[in-house]
Amino acid sequence: MLKHKAMEFSILSFPLYFLLFTTLFLQRKLSRALSKEIGELAEFPPRGWNSYDSFSWIISEEEFLQNANMVSQKLLPYGYQYVVVDYLWYRRKVEGANENSLGFDVIDEWGRMIPDPGRWPSSQGGKGFTEVANKVHAMGLKFGIHVMRGISTQAFDANSPILDIFKGGAYIESGKKWTARDIGLKEKTCPWMSQGFMSVDTTLGAGRAFLRSLYRQYADWGVDFVKNDCVFGDNFELHEIDVVSKVLQELDRPILYSLSPGVSATPNMANHVGNLVNMYRITGDDWDSWADVKSHFNVSRDFAAANLIGAKGLRGRSWPDLDMLPLGWLTDPGSNQGPHRKCNLSFDEQRTQMTLWSMAKSPLMFGGDMRKLDGATYNIITNPILLEINSYSTDNMEFSYISGTEDLGSSNHVLTRQSQNLKEVKAEASHVPSLTSCRHAEAKGWTFNLDDHKASQICWREKYMGRKYKAPFCLHTRKPPLTWYEEYFYKQKYQGKLQLLANETNDSCLNASPNGKLTSQETKRMSFSHCKSNGEQIWELNQNGTLMNSYSGLCATVKGERFSFTHKLKVRNLTYIEELIGYFAAEANGDGIRSWIATGRRGEVYLSFFNLNPVTMVISANISDLAKALPSRPITYSCKYTEVWTGKDYGVATDTISIVVDNHGCALFVLQCN
């Protein structure tokens, strides 16, 4: 009887399925034609302005349009064309509301976020961002918004119906009217906004219908750029990214697709999404601290070496994204306060950041308040040679053929200039749990260990640490406690999986992704927090010795610092002590000085030197070594060269290029070698 009814339903619904198939076919055909008409999307690394660094989540319509107007006047001539409203534009700015509060969002009858009318008055009457987008377009700019993963907890709690955009009513499948609670995955909330959003089940037609209804609405508003957050890196949601990308290809207008954040992002991960998107974050949040800037050198090197710069993307190309430029007039992370302070980076550090972002061909999204844009910041972000490199250079890569010596005679030498108190600096090795791709050899090294048959442990084997330790790094195991609801629905997912505790007497479990949104210097760190049955605390030990996290799909590894020294230094305070520890470690690993190389569209060679040390360095490169990095380029043994930031013409170099670079500073040369 049931089988007969199922056949009857299938036959009766055949015209509907045929209509759906035909519609999708025509949409994709139109999409391909549109792509040819508009050219490549993100042909060059995108440029623009984003509200997050200066306004956090509290920006208003008036403030946004004021900034957009200044972008149009001052930055549009330099290719900065996108203006993006960052997160929580749908959250009411009232007492008790913050970045992880629940119950303050404005949603429509279909559980979709709509602008808070208190901050965005033009959105009233169901207009959404239509009027704002129209005004932005009239300025010659493109309009973007930030969105979170999946569906909101507020829509889930309200059990909102799902919109079927093809029928214009509730989504019905197999005779069932589907709602938010049918598609929301409550065990997969966004770790750093746990009360805000959760993933949707994209294996369900209703889950895909919900995402389609979101992005179709954004297109109707006139959106040109979508920054999709909590879907990459530790929070990797490949299925959602794939569904969204397909929806964007169906639309009759191009929308640039950006992923964020990128904590623990790897080139292998990027290979899965590069052709689905146009830009993707490869770091945590970048703020105005030297530690953040410095942390970008290794990751940018790795993605360049994997040939991912400017690879195939959605309707065009895709670009690894080093995050926004937090320069100028800013606010603080997670703040309920607007722009109120200057950038903490020194002038040298700001130039270093802009130079690396340009040489690595990262998207350039300025974050400072445009209404208080100072001349020095303006000159940095509009430097014509840096922008030329960012758009048109090729062969961009780290250049390893450099040498450096400490400039003992410099007045900027930190050990003499900052001398006040004699301190003994001691650095020792330590265990640092972190995340990596499960395919990497460094992920293999975990094994079960029984502690007098009282408690089981998972330990990192000493031989993988690179040196001997008196005690191995071990974590105590326990089965995750499940509620009856979780036991019923998710038992198979948790079968054979564990929680890992710092010790057996407390309730502190290892998290794959901390509750806070990580900054870039914390990219690889993990943390311990109160145990709960969330996916980021669930682990599985595989037979090959990898320890995989159920939430991110990444594996845990343990790193130990491989240097130990005691040194007496005259330094001003603990900040310098910590930095000098890093300096000695960097020297041991060859990380104290760095260099990038690229070629220009007119045959010129760009060569940059970076001094990551707290002391002034003399950095040098041999002309003969340029050809090793650029074997396809005819480079002679003499080059005319100038330095960009000083404007100095050095004439002709026949052997070596050498320059004194201040601590945290850089030099950028343009070489004519033919």
Side-chain angles (χ1 to χ4, degrees):
M1 183 67 177
L2 290 174
K3 183 177 180 182
H4 179 72
K5 285 187 175 181
M7 290 178 61
E8 180 182 6
F9 175 79
S10 176
I11 293 171
L12 289 175
S13 58
F14 175 76
L16 178 61
Y17 286 124
F18 178 76
L19 177 62
L20 176 60
F21 174 80
T22 304
T23 302
L24 292 175
F25 174 78
L26 292 175
Q27 285 175 334
R28 288 175 181 172
K29 189 174 181 180
L30 177 63
S31 172
R32 287 192 291 269
L34 180 67
S35 296
K36 292 181 180 179
E37 180 182 336
I38 65 173
E40 280 194 327
L41 191 59
E43 182 179 2
F44 307 110
R47 285 182 208 152
W49 177 84
N50 182 290
S51 64
Y52 179 65
D53 287 347
S54 46
F55 289 91
S56 187
W57 66 275
I58 64 171
I59 193 168
S60 67
E61 181 173 336
E62 180 182 14
E63 292 165 331
F64 178 77
L65 291 175
Q66 288 172 349
N67 273 272
N69 184 53
M70 296 304 295
V71 171
S72 178
Q73 292 181 34
K74 292 183 172 292
L75 297 184
L76 181 58
Y78 296 93
Y80 290 82
Q81 60 177 328
Y82 292 97
V83 286
V84 182
V85 183
D86 212 87
Y87 76 151
L88 303 183
W89 38 265
Y90 35 81
R91 185 151 297 174
R92 290 181 290 123
K93 187 184 174 185
V94 296
E95 185 177 354
N98 56 60
E99 63 177 355
N100 193 28
S101 55
L102 176 61
F104 297 98
D105 296 339
V106 185
I107 61 176
D108 67 10
E109 61 179 309
W110 306 108
R112 301 177 299 182
M113 318 311 283
I114 55 177
D116 166 30
R119 290 189 289 139
W120 304 89
S122 71
S123 69
Q124 296 183 50
K127 296 178 184 177
F129 275 124
T130 303
E131 291 193 13
V132 172
N134 288 340
K135 291 178 180 178
V136 167
H137 294 154
M139 298 176 191
L141 301 170
K142 296 182 179 180
F143 176 63
I145 60 173
H146 171 288
V147 300
M148 292 295 295
R149 75 187 312 165
I151 192 168
S152 73
T153 304
Q154 196 163 315
F156 183 91
D157 291 343
N159 204 24
S160 302
I162 307 302
L163 173 64
D164 185 334
I165 63 168
F166 297 113
K167 298 195 320 182
Y171 184 86
I172 299 174
E173 184 181 346
S174 301
K176 172 183 172 62
K177 181 179 178 181
W178 292 73
T179 64
R181 290 183 184 172
D182 295 318
I183 65 170
L185 298 175
K186 208 167 186 183
E187 81 278 12
K188 294 193 72 173
T189 59
C190 179
W192 50 269
M193 199 185 286
S194 57
Q195 297 192 92
F197 290 83
M198 65 186 74
S199 297
V200 297
D201 190 343
T202 55
T203 65
L204 300 173
R208 297 190 296 273
F210 177 75
L211 294 175
R212 183 175 287 108
S213 73
L214 288 180
Y215 287 83
R216 180 58 61 90
Q217 178 170 254
Y218 303 151
D220 292 342
W221 287 345
V223 170
D224 306 293
F225 179 111
V226 172
K227 176 182 174 181
N228 194 8
D229 210 338
C230 207
V231 293
F232 197 53
D234 278 354
N235 316 125
F236 196 29
E237 286 291 327
L238 177 59
H239 295 300
E240 179 167 330
I241 295 168
D242 183 58
V243 170
V244 170
S245 183
K246 287 182 171 65
V247 171
L248 294 178
Q249 291 181 63
E250 296 169 3
L251 300 176
D252 57 1
R253 60 176 289 109
I255 294 181
L256 190 147
Y257 189 23
S258 170
L259 304 183
S260 178
V263 181
S264 299
T266 63
N268 181 58
M269 190 182 295
N271 283 325
H272 291 290
V273 302
N275 64 329
L276 304 175
V277 304
N278 301 111
M279 50 189 276
Y280 50 90
R281 278 264 297 280
I282 58 174
T283 70
D285 282 1
D286 177 74
W287 278 94
D288 53 328
S289 74
W290 172 243
D292 272 13
V293 175
K294 185 177 178 180
S295 70
H296 289 70
F297 279 85
N298 284 349
V299 68
S300 58
R301 172 202 63 200
D302 295 345
F303 279 76
N307 296 317
L308 289 166
I309 296 177
K312 185 179 183 301
L314 173 65
R315 287 181 170 177
R317 297 191 184 186
S318 63
W319 305 91
D321 177 19
L322 296 178
D323 201 17
M324 294 171 285
L325 296 164
L327 311 177
W329 200 248
L330 307 169
T331 186
D332 298 305
S335 175
N336 280 17
Q337 184 179 3
H340 62 277
R341 64 175 181 85
K342 293 181 180 179
C343 172
N344 288 321
L345 295 173
S346 71
F347 187 57
D348 281 331
E349 291 167 347
Q350 293 179 47
R351 295 198 303 190
T352 292
Q353 180 170 35
M354 185 67 184
T355 303
L356 176 62
W357 265 237
S358 297
M359 292 294 286
K361 300 194 66 137
S362 169
L364 300 177
M365 303 298 288
F366 178 59
D369 186 352
M370 285 296 302
R371 301 169 303 178
K372 298 190 70 172
L373 179 61
D374 61 279
T377 303
Y378 177 74
N379 290 336
I380 288 175
I381 64 175
T382 61
N383 183 290
I385 297 179
L386 269 292
L387 298 182
E388 168 76 17
I389 293 170
N390 182 250
S391 286
Y392 298 108
S393 62
T394 55
D395 304 316
N396 304 67
M397 70 187 85
E398 187 171 81
F399 180 69
S400 59
Y401 302 98
I402 58 170
S403 61
T405 58
E406 192 174 336
D407 183 26
L408 298 175
S410 171
S411 61
N412 291 328
H413 194 296
V414 70
L415 297 184
T416 57
R417 183 182 63 175
Q418 305 295 348
S419 296
Q420 282 189 14
N421 299 312
L422 191 66
K423 298 287 184 181
E424 185 177 84
V425 181
K426 186 175 182 180
E428 297 178 346
S430 61
H431 299 88
V432 182
S434 57
L435 289 167
T436 187
S437 168
C438 294
R439 297 185 179 182
H440 289 176
E442 64 183 27
K444 300 174 182 178
W446 295 95
T447 184
F448 267 115
N449 182 49
L450 290 179
D451 184 12
D452 297 329
H453 302 285
K454 295 178 182 179
S456 63
Q457 297 175 322
I458 291 179
C459 296
W460 182 255
R461 285 179 284 188
E462 295 179 30
K463 67 178 182 179
Y464 287 88
M465 293 298 296
R467 58 172 293 171
K468 290 290 184 182
Y469 288 92
K470 293 181 179 179
F473 179 75
C474 293
L475 298 165
H476 292 262
T477 68
R478 77 172 187 186
K479 292 182 179 179
L482 304 178
T483 65
W484 69 267
Y485 180 82
E486 293 168 328
E487 187 78 30
Y488 180 77
F489 285 100
Y490 308 119
K491 184 175 181 180
Q492 293 304 313
K493 293 184 179 181
Y494 289 143
Q495 191 72 35
K497 299 185 180 181
L498 303 162
Q499 284 183 319
L500 303 176
L501 289 78
N503 61 68
E504 60 182 318
T505 61
N506 69 9
D507 190 40
S508 180
C509 285
L510 183 67
N511 269 334
S513 180
N515 293 329
K517 204 173 180 183
L518 296 184
T519 53
S520 298
Q521 72 266 30
E522 299 171 313
T523 295
K524 296 294 183 182
R525 298 178 187 170
M526 293 187 288
S527 66
F528 289 90
S529 62
H530 177 69
C531 296
K532 49 191 175 181
S533 55
N534 281 359
E536 64 266 22
Q537 291 187 350
I538 308 300
W539 302 85
E540 181 177 10
L541 180 63
N542 298 313
Q543 291 183 351
N544 65 353
T546 58
L547 184 62
M548 187 175 71
N549 177 251
S550 296
Y551 186 90
S552 65
L554 297 173
C555 281
T557 186
V558 177
K559 295 182 178 180
E561 302 297 339
R562 299 184 181 182
F563 63 94
S564 179
F565 64 87
T566 300
H567 201 85
K568 289 187 177 181
L569 301 170
K570 288 184 178 181
V571 293
R572 183 174 63 184
N573 54 36
L574 185 60
T575 300
Y576 283 98
I577 295 175
E578 292 171 343
E579 192 172 354
L580 285 163
I581 291 175
Y583 164 57
F584 285 109
E587 285 296 290
N589 294 316
D591 292 335
I593 57 173
R594 306 296 274 270
S595 176
W596 273 66
I597 195 169
T599 54
R601 54 178 167 167
R602 301 176 186 88
E604 67 273 27
V605 174
Y606 301 111
L607 180 67
S608 57
F609 292 159
F610 300 97
N611 179 13
L612 310 188
N613 298 308
V615 295
T616 302
M617 300 288 291
V618 179
I619 305 177
S620 306
N622 294 326
I623 296 294
S624 59
D625 287 332
L626 300 179
K628 295 178 181 178
L630 304 170
S632 63
R633 302 281 175 169
I635 296 178
T636 63
Y637 287 96
S638 65
C639 299
K640 293 179 60 178
Y641 70 112
T642 58
E643 202 283 316
V644 172
W645 290 114
T646 61
K648 184 175 180 179
D649 186 342
Y650 283 86
V652 177
T654 58
D655 184 22
T656 302
I657 293 174
S658 184
I659 192 171
V660 176
V661 183
D662 286 339
N663 55 303
H664 301 177
C666 68
L668 174 61
F669 300 104
V670 182
L671 293 83
Q672 303 289 347
C673 298
N674 295 326

